[in-house]
Amino acid sequence: MDTSESSTTEPDSATTATAAPPRRGWRRWAMDTRPLRIPAYRRLWSSTIVTAVGSQLTAVAVPKQIYDITHSSAWVGYASLAGLVPMVVFALWGGAVADTVDRRKLLLVTNSGIAVTSVLFWAQAVTGLDSVVVLMVLLAAQQAFFGLNSPARSASVARLVPAEELPAAQALGSTVMQTGLVAGPLLAGVLIPVIGLPELYLIDALALCVTVWAVFRLPALPPLGEGPARRAGVREIAAGFRYIAGHKVLLLSFLADIVAMVFGMPRALFPQLAAQTYASYGEGLALGVLFAGIPVGAVLGGLFSGAFSRARRHGWMVIGAVVGWGVAIAGFGLSGNLWLAVAFLAAAGVADMVSMVFRGAILLSAATDEMRGRMQGVFTVVVAGGPRLADVLHGTAGSAFGPRAAVAGGGALVVAVMLGLAAAVPALRRYRI
């Protein structure tokens, strides 16, 4: 059966769900929590609640410590690159590994590795080592473990929940992660003056212990089928890219995210907009609320995901969400009032949540289990790389045309390109589950 037109999820790939009675009143709009009735998924999701905040403590502490040592934003940027490269490499390889081994065992090893790096971050901070080289090496190691971990974690979801609940599971996971993006940095800002940087690393390490315990209690997740054992190498990675090229719905799901992020993620222009367009509101206030706008909208979208998580036309949901993102970003670019601008960013965050939910569900349902790890590896690279390319593009366009014109033009480009792709390739429009 052609996966570009219908789902190919294996009948035995997840626990069979019991039909739930229809929800009435306000509950129709509230988050769909059906996947939490499945103990294995509930353990995996519960561990994410803890680590979503803990990981953001380290994400704040590392650049803060590097800046304290060097007093240079350039070194903070170099450190980001030091983390990006191994994450990209190991995410691609980790996707291939996840398709050849028991994913539970891979999650145990990689989560333990991330926990060890957090302990080492704490050790170097508490001893006052003050070495940027050591920090960058630890960051590279941590991101390498993350690259190995993320594909296996995401691919495991389709083995734990039934296909019709995948959007709900994606909404639950994405909401927790987006909440972490908001709460983690705020908590770090409060804790740094009180307990100091070393303890932030230690809190993250302790949170990761919870994750390791939750993963330990998962069922075994070996590769399905009885074919010959495969090794995770360049050939397996290349096979994953060929698989994407041969399945248009998967290719379009990746392209949709690239279009939305590269053309429509304006975060590189937030400092300039805060200093110029919204300076009358206070530069610090403006910068803070601009950065918070999209994550807050995404969290709200997740909390009310019951309004859309039961939709079956996954392709149209992705198309509509990306177009909605573009419209909201264009509206943000045209807004001279800070609070109207933040409202548009929040609307973009809601659209991004919808897009994340259904792109994730498509990747899990349209790909066979033996390919899910590699699909999630590519997904990790796209999600991490798209916004960084957007920083370069928007920064350049903002300098050339002004920040508001660059943002509005990028949003309009998202709408035009996404509608063009949807019209030219019907596979995504037709996809449903």
Side-chain angles (χ1 to χ4, degrees):
M1 184 178 294
D2 185 358
T3 56
S4 67
E5 297 182 0
S6 60
S7 170
T8 59
T9 304
E10 297 87 345
D12 60 343
S13 65
T15 306
T16 303
T18 303
R23 302 193 297 176
R24 294 181 173 84
W26 67 269
R27 296 183 67 238
R28 291 179 299 174
W29 301 86
M31 178 180 286
D32 185 353
T33 59
R34 287 178 298 163
L36 296 180
R37 295 179 300 175
I38 302 168
Y41 177 78
R42 186 168 62 246
R43 294 188 189 105
L44 189 65
W45 181 81
S46 298
S47 70
T48 306
I49 297 175
V50 180
T51 56
V53 176
S55 63
Q56 288 303 306
L57 299 182
T58 295
V60 171
V62 171
K64 175 69 167 66
Q65 188 178 0
I66 290 175
Y67 186 81
D68 286 346
I69 295 170
T70 65
H71 301 289
S72 169
S73 294
W75 275 106
V76 176
Y78 299 150
S80 178
L81 184 62
L84 175 64
V85 173
M87 190 276 291
V88 169
V89 172
F90 281 89
L92 293 176
W93 183 53
V97 174
D99 288 334
T100 60
V101 302
D102 185 330
R103 289 170 185 157
R104 172 182 171 273
K105 292 181 179 178
L106 180 57
L107 289 173
L108 280 172
V109 171
T110 53
N111 278 311
S112 298
I114 297 172
V116 169
T117 59
S118 292
V119 172
L120 292 176
F121 271 125
W122 168 78
Q124 61 81 34
V126 79
T127 57
L129 191 58
D130 286 346
S131 171
V132 174
V133 173
V134 170
L135 281 166
M136 292 175 72
V137 169
L138 288 176
L139 182 61
Q142 184 190 62
Q143 291 303 296
F145 278 119
F146 175 79
L148 287 167
N149 176 275
S150 184
R153 187 180 186 88
S154 299
S156 298
V157 173
R159 298 277 292 275
L160 302 177
V161 303
E164 64 272 16
E165 293 182 14
L166 286 176
Q170 292 295 117
L172 285 163
S174 296
T175 301
V176 166
M177 297 307 297
Q178 291 295 324
T179 302
L181 290 175
V182 177
L186 292 175
L187 185 61
V190 171
L191 291 178
I192 287 174
V194 178
I195 63 176
L197 281 174
E199 284 67 25
L200 293 189
Y201 295 126
L202 189 58
I203 292 172
D204 188 20
L206 294 174
L208 283 160
C209 292
V210 176
T211 300
V212 172
W213 173 246
V215 170
F216 178 76
R217 298 189 64 196
L218 291 178
L221 297 168
L224 296 175
E226 300 179 356
R230 293 176 286 121
R231 298 185 63 182
V234 175
R235 182 178 300 178
E236 294 296 314
I237 295 172
F241 282 105
R242 288 195 299 271
Y243 188 83
I244 293 171
H247 294 74
K248 292 180 180 178
V249 70
L250 294 173
L251 180 61
L252 264 292
S253 71
F254 287 120
L255 288 177
D257 188 53
I258 292 171
V259 167
M261 291 297 104
V262 173
F263 296 142
M265 172 53 81
R267 67 183 184 184
L269 297 174
F270 287 170
Q272 186 178 358
L273 288 165
Q276 297 177 3
T277 306
Y278 307 118
S280 61
Y281 296 87
E283 185 176 347
L285 171 65
L287 186 61
V289 297
L290 288 178
F291 271 106
I294 292 175
V296 167
V299 171
L300 290 174
L303 293 176
F304 293 97
S305 57
F308 57 81
S309 63
R310 295 172 187 260
R312 301 182 67 87
R313 295 184 177 275
H314 292 187
W316 272 115
M317 293 301 292
V318 170
I319 294 168
V322 173
V323 169
W325 163 274
V327 170
I329 293 298
F332 163 59
L334 296 173
S335 301
N337 179 279
L338 176 62
W339 304 115
L340 181 60
V342 172
F344 274 117
L345 287 176
V350 174
D352 190 39
M353 173 59 73
V354 176
S355 175
M356 283 191 290
V357 165
F358 289 100
R359 282 185 294 105
I362 287 172
L363 288 179
L364 291 175
S365 62
T368 57
D369 187 72
E370 66 176 5
M371 283 290 176
R372 282 183 184 133
R374 278 164 281 187
M375 297 304 99
Q376 294 300 324
V378 175
F379 180 77
T380 300
V381 172
V382 168
V383 169
R388 287 173 170 83
L389 291 176
D391 290 344
V392 176
L393 179 62
H394 281 77
T396 303
S399 297
F401 307 108
R404 292 180 63 188
V407 173
L413 197 56
V414 169
V415 174
V417 174
M418 189 66 243
L419 290 177
L421 286 173
V425 186
L428 190 60
R429 302 199 313 267
R430 295 174 180 171
Y431 187 80
R432 62 178 297 163
I433 189 169

